[in-house]
Amino acid sequence: MAHALHIDVAHSAFGDFVRRVVDVARDELKRRRIYTQTMRELSSLSDRELADLGLTRSMIRSLAIEAAYRP
């Protein structure tokens, strides 16, 4: 009987682990979509449009990272 209990606990721990892995992967995919969308949208602007926003083309990557990964 004790052995069966140990197996149930192991399966539960494994299930929790799998759920955590799936949650992390889901969050990373969401962040990657935000990063990609921000890069695409800002990159599509002309240098003049970026300047009107107070941005330069060299700032795009860091802004996309901040949009996706800021706490």
Side-chain angles (χ1 to χ4, degrees):
M1 187 62 96
H3 184 68
L5 177 61
H6 177 71
I7 291 172
D8 290 340
V9 170
H11 285 300
S12 176
F14 180 72
D16 291 344
F17 171 76
V18 170
R19 278 187 287 281
R20 284 193 308 272
V21 168
V22 169
D23 288 345
V24 167
R26 185 181 303 125
D27 289 345
E28 184 56 34
L29 286 172
K30 179 182 174 187
R31 292 175 188 277
R32 187 64 183 180
R33 278 192 293 271
I34 292 169
Y35 171 82
T36 302
Q37 180 179 358
T38 304
M39 285 290 295
R40 183 175 41 250
E41 290 179 8
L42 291 177
S43 295
S44 72
L45 298 175
S46 68
D47 289 341
R48 175 63 189 252
E49 291 168 321
L50 288 170
D52 287 346
L53 296 172
L55 305 174
T56 62
R57 197 155 297 282
S58 64
M59 298 169 71
I60 292 174
R61 183 172 184 272
S62 62
L63 290 169
I65 291 170
E66 183 179 339
Y69 295 98
R70 70 176 172 252

